[in-house]
Amino acid sequence: MPPIPPVTQPICLIENDVGKKMRVNPEAQKILEKISHPLVLVSIVGPYRSGKSSLINMLAGDQRGGFPVGHTVEAKTRGIWMRCVPRSDHTLILLDTEGLGDVMKGSQHNDFAVLSLAMLISSVMIYNEKTTINQDALEKLYKMSEQSEWILDRKAREDGDVGGWEESPLFIWVVRDFTLKLELGAGPISEDEYLENSLKDITPEKSPNTQYKNEIRRALRAMFPVRKCFQFGVPTSSTQSVEDKGNLQEDFVRKSKELSQYIHENAKVKTLQGGQPMTGPILGKLIPKYIDVVSTNNISILVDQISHISVEHNEQIIASATKLYEDKMGSKFINTEREFQDLHDACMDEAMRYFQGCYFKDPNEEWTKSEDKLKTTLMKKKDDVWKMWKDSSEKTCKDLIQRLSESLKLKPDQQHYHAAGGHQKFTRDKNRLVSEYNKEAKKGVMAEHVLQDYLKEIEPMEEIIKQTEKKLSEKKNQEYKVDNMTDTGQLSRYISNYRLENRNYDSILIQMIGFVGHGKSSLVNSCLYAMSSKGFQDRAGEGRTNEAETMIRKAYPLTETMVLVDNPGFTKLDSCEIFAQLNNCVGLSKDMVWGVNEGLEPITERKVNKPDIIVPVLIHSAKYSLNDQEFTSMKELITSSHKRSRIMPFVVLTNRQDAKSDVLKELEGKFHKMHVEQIHAIENYTRSDHVAIRKQHLDILTFLYYVLQNVDFIF
C-alpha cells in the first residue's frame, strides 16, 4: 500500500475538551489506517503560549498555515494535533500538544496525561520551554515520568534490560528566548553541556530538599538516555509577528534549520516491543488504549491490546499475502505444468517476503506458527489455482477438439471411413486435426493430456476402420485373384486393383538401377505400355546404347499403389557407385521429378504421411556378362539393397532375343549365386519395335505380379 498524500492541514488526533474525557478523533483514525509505512513521530510539549506551534510549523517547512499560532493569553491548541509528511521509506507525523499549565483546564493531572501520551506515542519528544531550564520544568517532567515509568519499565532500563514495552523517545530540550551567556566557571560550554549540567546531581546532598531534587534528576536521566539541547534567541523584534518568516532573526532561522537537520538525521522509526515498527493502523488501534492507560494506571489494558493487535495484524498480513499470491498467480497465462511450478515458486517467495516485512514481531507469539500457517494456506491456494487452470484448460481443449472433429467430420459414424482407402483418409484427417490443434494458442496446462486422451479414445475406432478396410481389401483381392498365370487380363486387373490400404505404407516404389544403356528407361516404358489400354509412348525417354539419357531420378505412377522410379545408370560398378545407387533407393522426396501422366501436367511435389515400400530392381542386358570384379561389386550392391529395403532385389535381364543362350545361362547362374530369387528375362518394347505381343506383355505383367507377391510376403 503506498503512503498517503501529504496532509497539508493539521487534524486533531486526540480531543481533550474541558469537562470531557480524552478521546481519539475518528477522522484522524481513518487517515492513520491508510498509512502502511513505518512512522517517525515527533511531538512537541511545553507550557502554553511558549511558541510550540510556530516551532513545529518550521519543522514542517511551513511557517504560514499549518498548526494554529496564538497571539493572546488564550491557548490555541486543545488536545493533540497531527500533521502527516510522507517520506521515501517512512511517514513523518508531527504532533502539536496543548500547552501545560493552562489555567482554563485547572488540572495538573491533565498536564501529566498530555505529557505521558506524547511520550508513549513519540519517537522524538521536544520539550519547549522559555528562558532557561528551571526546576519547575524538571518537576513537571519528573511527575510525568513517575506516571509513565510502569509503562516504559524504567527500572528495567536502569538495570540494563532494554526489553520494556516501549523504547524511550529521543528527548530534545528547546530553550526559547535564551539571552544568557553559555558559560560555566571560567569558560564557555555547549548547549548539551548546559542540559547535562542542569540534570546532574546537586552536591553536597545534605537536605531532604536536595535529595528530592537529585531524585528528579536521576529519574529524568534514566527516562531519557538519549537527549539533546537547542537554545534559540528571540525570534523577532518586540513589534513583529513570528508568523511572518521574513521578520525572523537570522540566528533564529539558522537554529531552526539545525534542529530540523538533527531530527532528520537522528529520529528513528517508532518501535514496539521486539522491534516491531509502528504503522498507521497499529497506532490508530493503540491510541485509545494509551488514553485508557494514562487515565486508569492499568498496564494490563496495554498488554492485552498489544497481544490482540499482534494477532489481528498478523491475520490481516496473512490474508494480504494470500491475496498477493492469488493476484500474481492469475496475472500470467500458464501453458505447462513447469511454467505453473515456476510461477508458484516466484509468487510464493514474493508473498513470504511481504509477510516477513509486515509481520508483527510479538515476542509472546512464535512467528514460525504464523509463517507455517501462511505456507499451508498458500499451498492450499496453489492446489485450488492448479485445479482452476486444469479445469479451464481441459474445457477449452475439449471444446477445440470437438470443433475440429466436426469440421473435419472425424467421427466414428462417418461411413466414408468404412470403405476402400478409409484408413488412409482417417489418418489424414486425424493428422490434420492434430496439426490444427497444435497451432491453436493458449490451450493451457492440459493441452497435451487432452490430446493424448482423445487419440487414445479414437484408437478403437481406428482399429475398426483398419479391420473393415482389411476385410474389404481381402475381398477385393479375392475378386481379382489370379487363377491362371497365362491370363494377361487377370494379371492386369490384379495389378491395377492392388492396394496397401490395411498397411502403414503409402506406395510401392519399383526402383530401377543398373548400367547405362541396359534398358532401364525402356523397361519403364514397357511396364506403362503393358498396363495401359492406350498405345505405346516413350514417356521415360528411351536412350541410345551405352549413352545415358536419364540424368536425374524420375518417377512414373503405374497404378494407384505402384510407382516406377528411373534412376541414373552407372558406367562402372565400384564402392562409390554402390553408395550412390543405395542413396537413390529411398522414398520419394520433393526434389523428385515426376513424369507426365496421360497428358496431365507433370507432378513436381508429392506429400505423404507414411513411408514407401522400396522394391529394388536391377536391370542388366543379357548380352553382357560379368567379370570377376563386377560380380563381386554387384553382389555387394544386391546384398546392401536387400538389407536396406528388406526385399531381395529383382533382376530383369533385357535384350533376351539378342543374347547368346550360354551367356544368358551364365548370367542366371551368377545371380543365383548372389541369392537372387526373382530373375526375369524380358524383351522390352522400344520406339522402333512396339507392336503388342502377348508373350512380351505376359513376361512384363508376370514380373509386376511377383513384385506384389513379395510385398505381401514381407509386409
Side-chain angles (χ1 to χ4, degrees), residues 677-714:
E677 296 177 345
Q678 294 288 334
I679 302 174
H680 297 265
I682 292 175
E683 191 67 35
N684 283 328
Y685 289 107
T686 64
R687 285 197 301 253
S688 60
D689 185 6
H690 52 261
V691 175
I693 298 175
R694 180 182 176 278
K695 179 66 170 72
Q696 283 182 252
H697 266 55
L698 183 61
D699 290 341
I700 294 169
L701 294 174
T702 300
F703 155 67
L704 295 173
Y705 172 82
Y706 279 109
V707 166
L708 298 179
Q709 292 299 299
N710 268 261
V711 168
D712 284 341
F713 177 74
I714 300 299

Side-chain angles (χ1 to χ4, degrees), residues 328-449:
K328 292 290 183 178
M329 286 295 289
S331 64
K332 181 181 178 182
F333 190 86
I334 301 300
N335 288 295
T336 65
E337 187 171 357
R338 179 70 263 174
E339 287 182 9
F340 175 82
Q341 185 62 44
D342 290 343
L343 181 62
H344 160 75
D345 292 342
C347 295
M348 181 89 163
D349 288 344
E350 187 171 349
M352 295 307 299
R353 287 196 303 271
Y354 171 82
F355 168 80
Q356 290 161 3
C358 300
Y359 171 76
F360 194 113
K361 303 171 182 66
D362 183 357
N364 294 324
E365 181 187 4
E366 295 182 24
W367 76 274
T368 53
K369 292 182 179 179
S370 294
E371 186 178 50
D372 291 343
K373 181 178 180 180
L374 175 59
K375 288 180 180 178
T376 301
T377 301
L378 295 184
M379 292 306 295
K380 176 64 168 59
K381 289 296 179 182
K382 175 191 177 183
D383 294 341
D384 293 343
V385 174
W386 175 245
K387 185 178 184 304
M388 181 268 296
W389 277 114
K390 284 180 63 177
D391 292 347
S392 175
S393 173
E394 188 172 27
K395 184 179 185 307
T396 298
C397 293
K398 286 183 176 180
D399 289 347
L400 174 60
I401 285 180
Q402 177 70 20
R403 187 169 70 252
L404 291 174
S405 63
E406 288 179 355
S407 66
L408 295 173
K409 297 182 173 58
L410 190 63
K411 293 182 178 181
D413 58 350
Q414 293 298 320
Q415 292 302 314
H416 64 277
Y417 293 135
H418 301 282
H423 184 248
Q424 185 174 8
K425 294 176 184 177
F426 176 84
T427 301
R428 181 195 62 222
D429 290 345
K430 180 180 71 173
N431 292 338
R432 283 179 60 193
L433 181 144
V434 172
S435 177
E436 293 298 320
Y437 179 87
N438 289 332
K439 289 178 184 178
E440 193 79 14
K442 292 189 174 182
K443 297 186 291 294
V445 297
M446 296 295 289
E448 186 61 24
H449 181 79

Side-chain angles (χ1 to χ4, degrees), residues 55 58-59 124 126 170 172 174 182 190-192 228-233 250-267:
L55 181 59
M58 284 187 285
L59 294 179
V124 177
I126 302 173
L170 168 62
I172 300 175
V174 172
L182 279 175
S190 67
E191 296 164 307
D192 291 340
K228 181 73 175 173
C229 181
F230 284 89
Q231 293 176 335
F232 284 74
E250 183 177 342
D251 287 346
F252 189 89
V253 174
R254 177 181 56 80
K255 210 65 179 178
S256 298
K257 291 180 179 179
E258 289 180 9
L259 174 61
S260 180
Q261 183 66 23
Y262 179 81
I263 292 175
H264 174 73
E265 294 175 353
N266 294 276

